[in-house]
mmCIF file of all heavy atoms in Angstrom:
data_model
loop_
_atom_site.group_PDB
_atom_site.id
_atom_site.type_symbol
_atom_site.label_atom_id
_atom_site.label_comp_id
_atom_site.label_asym_id
_atom_site.label_seq_id
_atom_site.Cartn_x
_atom_site.Cartn_y
_atom_site.Cartn_z
ATOM 1 N N LYS A 1 179.015 52.907 136.237
ATOM 2 C CA LYS A 1 178.825 53.585 134.951
ATOM 3 C C LYS A 1 179.500 52.780 133.853
ATOM 4 O O LYS A 1 180.436 52.018 134.093
ATOM 5 C CB LYS A 1 179.434 54.993 134.991
ATOM 6 C CG LYS A 1 178.761 55.909 135.985
ATOM 7 C CD LYS A 1 179.404 57.276 135.973
ATOM 8 C CE LYS A 1 178.711 58.191 136.986
ATOM 9 N NZ LYS A 1 179.332 59.517 137.015
ATOM 10 N N GLU A 2 179.019 52.988 132.635
ATOM 11 C CA GLU A 2 179.687 52.383 131.489
ATOM 12 C C GLU A 2 180.922 53.232 131.195
ATOM 13 O O GLU A 2 180.817 54.440 130.962
ATOM 14 C CB GLU A 2 178.745 52.361 130.286
ATOM 15 C CG GLU A 2 179.251 51.524 129.164
ATOM 16 C CD GLU A 2 178.240 51.405 128.034
ATOM 17 O OE1 GLU A 2 177.075 51.841 128.192
ATOM 18 O OE2 GLU A 2 178.644 50.879 126.988
ATOM 19 N N VAL A 3 182.084 52.604 131.238
ATOM 20 C CA VAL A 3 183.323 53.368 131.150
ATOM 21 C C VAL A 3 184.365 52.616 130.323
ATOM 22 O O VAL A 3 184.455 51.395 130.381
ATOM 23 C CB VAL A 3 183.861 53.715 132.568
ATOM 24 C CG1 VAL A 3 184.196 52.476 133.353
ATOM 25 C CG2 VAL A 3 185.025 54.658 132.510
ATOM 26 N N GLU A 4 185.109 53.399 129.541
ATOM 27 C CA GLU A 4 186.240 52.881 128.777
ATOM 28 C C GLU A 4 187.464 53.657 129.236
ATOM 29 O O GLU A 4 187.468 54.892 129.200
ATOM 30 C CB GLU A 4 186.000 53.096 127.290
ATOM 31 C CG GLU A 4 187.125 52.607 126.408
ATOM 32 C CD GLU A 4 186.802 52.785 124.941
ATOM 33 O OE1 GLU A 4 186.099 51.920 124.386
ATOM 34 O OE2 GLU A 4 187.241 53.810 124.375
ATOM 35 N N ILE A 5 188.490 52.925 129.667
ATOM 36 C CA ILE A 5 189.689 53.551 130.207
ATOM 37 C C ILE A 5 190.883 53.127 129.366
ATOM 38 O O ILE A 5 191.172 51.939 129.249
ATOM 39 C CB ILE A 5 189.913 53.181 131.688
ATOM 40 C CG1 ILE A 5 188.657 53.489 132.513
ATOM 41 C CG2 ILE A 5 191.133 53.917 132.244
ATOM 42 C CD1 ILE A 5 188.708 52.993 133.944
ATOM 43 N N GLU A 6 191.557 54.114 128.797
ATOM 44 C CA GLU A 6 192.731 53.878 127.973
ATOM 45 C C GLU A 6 193.981 54.248 128.773
ATOM 46 O O GLU A 6 193.945 55.165 129.589
ATOM 47 C CB GLU A 6 192.663 54.725 126.703
ATOM 48 C CG GLU A 6 191.426 54.454 125.869
ATOM 49 C CD GLU A 6 191.347 55.353 124.653
ATOM 50 O OE1 GLU A 6 192.356 55.471 123.924
ATOM 51 O OE2 GLU A 6 190.270 55.937 124.425
ATOM 52 N N PHE A 7 195.068 53.534 128.511
ATOM 53 C CA PHE A 7 196.323 53.757 129.224
ATOM 54 C C PHE A 7 197.470 53.936 128.246
ATOM 55 O O PHE A 7 197.533 53.256 127.215
ATOM 56 C CB PHE A 7 196.666 52.553 130.115
ATOM 57 C CG PHE A 7 195.702 52.308 131.230
ATOM 58 C CD1 PHE A 7 194.535 51.595 131.014
ATOM 59 C CD2 PHE A 7 195.963 52.779 132.513
ATOM 60 C CE1 PHE A 7 193.639 51.363 132.053
ATOM 61 C CE2 PHE A 7 195.081 52.545 133.556
ATOM 62 C CZ PHE A 7 193.909 51.839 133.320
ATOM 63 N N LEU A 8 198.393 54.817 128.607
ATOM 64 C CA LEU A 8 199.668 54.962 127.915
ATOM 65 C C LEU A 8 200.714 55.321 128.957
ATOM 66 O O LEU A 8 200.373 55.784 130.038
ATOM 67 C CB LEU A 8 199.586 56.028 126.802
ATOM 68 C CG LEU A 8 199.295 57.470 127.193
ATOM 69 C CD1 LEU A 8 200.539 58.228 127.677
ATOM 70 C CD2 LEU A 8 198.708 58.201 125.995
ATOM 71 N N GLY A 9 201.980 55.080 128.645
ATOM 72 C CA GLY A 9 203.012 55.537 129.569
ATOM 73 C C GLY A 9 204.156 54.588 129.789
ATOM 74 O O GLY A 9 204.426 53.686 129.002
ATOM 75 N N LEU A 10 204.791 54.781 130.945
ATOM 76 C CA LEU A 10 206.037 54.115 131.289
ATOM 77 C C LEU A 10 205.967 53.557 132.710
ATOM 78 O O LEU A 10 205.298 54.131 133.557
ATOM 79 C CB LEU A 10 207.185 55.132 131.209
ATOM 80 C CG LEU A 10 207.323 55.823 129.852
ATOM 81 C CD1 LEU A 10 208.234 57.025 129.956
ATOM 82 C CD2 LEU A 10 207.805 54.853 128.804
ATOM 83 N N CYS A 11 206.637 52.565 132.966
ATOM 84 C CA CYS A 11 207.192 51.528 132.124
ATOM 85 C C CYS A 11 206.146 50.405 132.038
ATOM 86 O O CYS A 11 205.563 50.027 133.055
ATOM 87 C CB CYS A 11 208.480 50.989 132.718
ATOM 88 S SG CYS A 11 209.855 52.190 132.727
ATOM 89 N N THR A 12 205.946 49.880 130.854
ATOM 90 C CA THR A 12 204.906 48.876 130.621
ATOM 91 C C THR A 12 204.977 47.743 131.626
ATOM 92 O O THR A 12 203.961 47.290 132.147
ATOM 93 C CB THR A 12 205.045 48.263 129.209
ATOM 94 O OG1 THR A 12 205.387 49.270 128.275
ATOM 95 C CG2 THR A 12 203.774 47.559 128.793
ATOM 96 N N ASP A 13 206.186 47.276 131.886
ATOM 97 C CA ASP A 13 206.422 46.082 132.680
ATOM 98 C C ASP A 13 206.479 46.331 134.183
ATOM 99 O O ASP A 13 206.627 45.386 134.958
ATOM 100 C CB ASP A 13 207.705 45.400 132.221
ATOM 101 C CG ASP A 13 208.835 46.393 131.988
ATOM 102 O OD1 ASP A 13 208.579 47.612 131.883
ATOM 103 O OD2 ASP A 13 209.988 45.957 131.889
ATOM 104 N N ILE A 14 206.330 47.573 134.605
ATOM 105 C CA ILE A 14 206.352 47.866 136.034
ATOM 106 C C ILE A 14 205.114 48.679 136.401
ATOM 107 O O ILE A 14 204.145 48.144 136.940
ATOM 108 C CB ILE A 14 207.660 48.590 136.460
ATOM 109 C CG1 ILE A 14 208.891 47.739 136.107
ATOM 110 C CG2 ILE A 14 207.651 48.893 137.949
ATOM 111 C CD1 ILE A 14 210.218 48.428 136.316
ATOM 112 N N CYS A 15 205.124 49.948 136.114
ATOM 113 C CA CYS A 15 204.043 50.830 136.573
ATOM 114 C C CYS A 15 202.790 50.762 135.717
ATOM 115 O O CYS A 15 201.682 50.875 136.240
ATOM 116 C CB CYS A 15 204.551 52.264 136.689
ATOM 117 S SG CYS A 15 205.809 52.420 137.986
ATOM 118 N N VAL A 16 202.925 50.571 134.402
ATOM 119 C CA VAL A 16 201.714 50.465 133.577
ATOM 120 C C VAL A 16 200.937 49.216 133.973
ATOM 121 O O VAL A 16 199.748 49.294 134.296
ATOM 122 C CB VAL A 16 202.040 50.491 132.066
ATOM 123 C CG1 VAL A 16 200.787 50.206 131.240
ATOM 124 C CG2 VAL A 16 202.648 51.836 131.666
ATOM 125 N N ILE A 17 201.582 48.069 133.967
ATOM 126 C CA ILE A 17 200.874 46.827 134.303
ATOM 127 C C ILE A 17 200.293 46.890 135.718
ATOM 128 O O ILE A 17 199.164 46.459 135.946
ATOM 129 C CB ILE A 17 201.762 45.572 134.096
ATOM 130 C CG1 ILE A 17 200.906 44.297 134.135
ATOM 131 C CG2 ILE A 17 202.918 45.527 135.081
ATOM 132 C CD1 ILE A 17 201.660 43.048 133.717
ATOM 133 N N SER A 18 201.026 47.457 136.653
ATOM 134 C CA SER A 18 200.541 47.554 138.038
ATOM 135 C C SER A 18 199.262 48.380 138.103
ATOM 136 O O SER A 18 198.274 47.979 138.727
ATOM 137 C CB SER A 18 201.606 48.172 138.944
ATOM 138 O OG SER A 18 202.733 47.349 139.024
ATOM 139 N N ASN A 19 199.269 49.545 137.475
ATOM 140 C CA ASN A 19 198.096 50.421 137.534
ATOM 141 C C ASN A 19 196.914 49.861 136.756
ATOM 142 O O ASN A 19 195.774 49.945 137.215
ATOM 143 C CB ASN A 19 198.465 51.833 137.059
ATOM 144 C CG ASN A 19 199.219 52.570 138.127
ATOM 145 O OD1 ASN A 19 198.644 53.035 139.101
ATOM 146 N ND2 ASN A 19 200.538 52.659 137.974
ATOM 147 N N VAL A 20 197.166 49.271 135.605
ATOM 148 C CA VAL A 20 196.063 48.687 134.834
ATOM 149 C C VAL A 20 195.383 47.579 135.639
ATOM 150 O O VAL A 20 194.151 47.540 135.731
ATOM 151 C CB VAL A 20 196.552 48.162 133.466
ATOM 152 C CG1 VAL A 20 195.455 47.375 132.758
ATOM 153 C CG2 VAL A 20 197.040 49.305 132.587
ATOM 154 N N LEU A 21 196.159 46.702 136.240
ATOM 155 C CA LEU A 21 195.561 45.595 136.988
ATOM 156 C C LEU A 21 194.867 46.083 138.260
ATOM 157 O O LEU A 21 193.830 45.523 138.651
ATOM 158 C CB LEU A 21 196.604 44.528 137.290
ATOM 159 C CG LEU A 21 197.102 43.788 136.037
ATOM 160 C CD1 LEU A 21 198.194 42.799 136.397
ATOM 161 C CD2 LEU A 21 195.962 43.119 135.277
ATOM 162 N N MET A 22 195.381 47.124 138.875
ATOM 163 C CA MET A 22 194.696 47.693 140.044
ATOM 164 C C MET A 22 193.362 48.321 139.632
ATOM 165 O O MET A 22 192.351 48.150 140.320
ATOM 166 C CB MET A 22 195.593 48.711 140.738
ATOM 167 C CG MET A 22 196.765 48.078 141.468
ATOM 168 S SD MET A 22 197.921 49.290 142.139
ATOM 169 C CE MET A 22 196.910 50.062 143.404
ATOM 170 N N VAL A 23 193.337 49.020 138.498
ATOM 171 C CA VAL A 23 192.085 49.604 138.008
ATOM 172 C C VAL A 23 191.119 48.488 137.624
ATOM 173 O O VAL A 23 189.912 48.582 137.880
ATOM 174 C CB VAL A 23 192.346 50.578 136.841
ATOM 175 C CG1 VAL A 23 191.048 50.991 136.160
ATOM 176 C CG2 VAL A 23 193.108 51.813 137.335
ATOM 177 N N LYS A 24 191.616 47.408 137.042
ATOM 178 C CA LYS A 24 190.759 46.255 136.694
ATOM 179 C C LYS A 24 190.100 45.694 137.954
ATOM 180 O O LYS A 24 188.919 45.335 137.928
ATOM 181 C CB LYS A 24 191.593 45.179 135.988
ATOM 182 C CG LYS A 24 190.814 43.967 135.544
ATOM 183 C CD LYS A 24 189.910 44.298 134.389
ATOM 184 C CE LYS A 24 189.243 43.060 133.824
ATOM 185 N NZ LYS A 24 188.145 43.395 132.921
ATOM 186 N N ALA A 25 190.840 45.652 139.037
ATOM 187 C CA ALA A 25 190.268 45.154 140.294
ATOM 188 C C ALA A 25 189.239 46.137 140.860
ATOM 189 O O ALA A 25 188.222 45.726 141.406
ATOM 190 C CB ALA A 25 191.382 44.914 141.311
ATOM 191 N N ALA A 26 189.497 47.436 140.721
ATOM 192 C CA ALA A 26 188.585 48.453 141.259
ATOM 193 C C ALA A 26 187.318 48.595 140.421
ATOM 194 O O ALA A 26 186.240 48.843 140.962
ATOM 195 C CB ALA A 26 189.299 49.800 141.345
ATOM 196 N N LEU A 27 187.451 48.433 139.108
ATOM 197 C CA LEU A 27 186.320 48.592 138.181
ATOM 198 C C LEU A 27 186.299 47.403 137.219
ATOM 199 O O LEU A 27 186.642 47.527 136.042
ATOM 200 C CB LEU A 27 186.457 49.904 137.399
ATOM 201 C CG LEU A 27 186.366 51.188 138.203
ATOM 202 C CD1 LEU A 27 186.797 52.388 137.367
ATOM 203 C CD2 LEU A 27 184.959 51.380 138.740
ATOM 204 N N PRO A 28 185.890 46.233 137.709
ATOM 205 C CA PRO A 28 186.017 45.017 136.906
ATOM 206 C C PRO A 28 185.198 45.008 135.618
ATOM 207 O O PRO A 28 185.517 44.273 134.687
ATOM 208 C CB PRO A 28 185.565 43.903 137.856
ATOM 209 C CG PRO A 28 184.799 44.580 138.933
ATOM 210 C CD PRO A 28 185.342 45.963 139.034
ATOM 211 N N GLU A 29 184.160 45.821 135.520
ATOM 212 C CA GLU A 29 183.340 45.845 134.309
ATOM 213 C C GLU A 29 183.767 46.924 133.324
ATOM 214 O O GLU A 29 183.200 47.032 132.230
ATOM 215 C CB GLU A 29 181.863 46.005 134.672
ATOM 216 C CG GLU A 29 181.307 44.816 135.446
ATOM 217 C CD GLU A 29 181.470 43.488 134.709
ATOM 218 O OE1 GLU A 29 181.213 43.434 133.485
ATOM 219 O OE2 GLU A 29 181.874 42.496 135.350
ATOM 220 N N ALA A 30 184.749 47.731 133.676
ATOM 221 C CA ALA A 30 185.235 48.765 132.762
ATOM 222 C C ALA A 30 185.982 48.111 131.611
ATOM 223 O O ALA A 30 186.661 47.101 131.781
ATOM 224 C CB ALA A 30 186.150 49.736 133.496
ATOM 225 N N LYS A 31 185.845 48.705 130.430
ATOM 226 C CA LYS A 31 186.643 48.254 129.291
ATOM 227 C C LYS A 31 188.001 48.940 129.410
ATOM 228 O O LYS A 31 188.085 50.171 129.450
ATOM 229 C CB LYS A 31 185.984 48.631 127.978
ATOM 230 C CG LYS A 31 186.807 48.236 126.778
ATOM 231 C CD LYS A 31 186.133 48.583 125.471
ATOM 232 C CE LYS A 31 187.086 48.235 124.351
ATOM 233 N NZ LYS A 31 186.464 47.479 123.313
ATOM 234 N N LEU A 32 189.067 48.146 129.484
ATOM 235 C CA LEU A 32 190.413 48.680 129.627
ATOM 236 C C LEU A 32 191.204 48.439 128.346
ATOM 237 O O LEU A 32 191.182 47.335 127.798
ATOM 238 C CB LEU A 32 191.136 48.040 130.805
ATOM 239 C CG LEU A 32 190.466 48.157 132.175
ATOM 240 C CD1 LEU A 32 191.372 47.586 133.256
ATOM 241 C CD2 LEU A 32 190.086 49.582 132.496
ATOM 242 N N ILE A 33 191.899 49.477 127.902
ATOM 243 C CA ILE A 33 192.686 49.423 126.675
ATOM 244 C C ILE A 33 194.075 49.967 126.976
ATOM 245 O O ILE A 33 194.212 51.060 127.527
ATOM 246 C CB ILE A 33 192.050 50.283 125.568
ATOM 247 C CG1 ILE A 33 190.631 49.806 125.252
ATOM 248 C CG2 ILE A 33 192.924 50.306 124.315
ATOM 249 C CD1 ILE A 33 189.818 50.791 124.440
#
């Protein structure tokens, strides 16, 4: 599906970056913000 996924939260340098990159791997065509 065409999807846009936005992220906010804590901590940018540990859990945010980890989850964003995992979602990027799971849905490589999703727009991530």
Side-chain angles (χ1 to χ4, degrees):
K1 296 180 180 179
E2 191 174 351
V3 62
E4 179 177 278
I5 307 172
E6 302 177 49
F7 295 83
L8 63 82
L10 303 166
C11 293
T12 320
D13 44 344
I14 302 172
C15 294
V16 173
I17 193 171
S18 296
N19 283 284
V20 172
L21 292 177
M22 289 174 67
V23 169
K24 182 71 173 167
L27 295 168
E29 295 303 316
K31 177 179 176 132
L32 303 185
I33 301 165

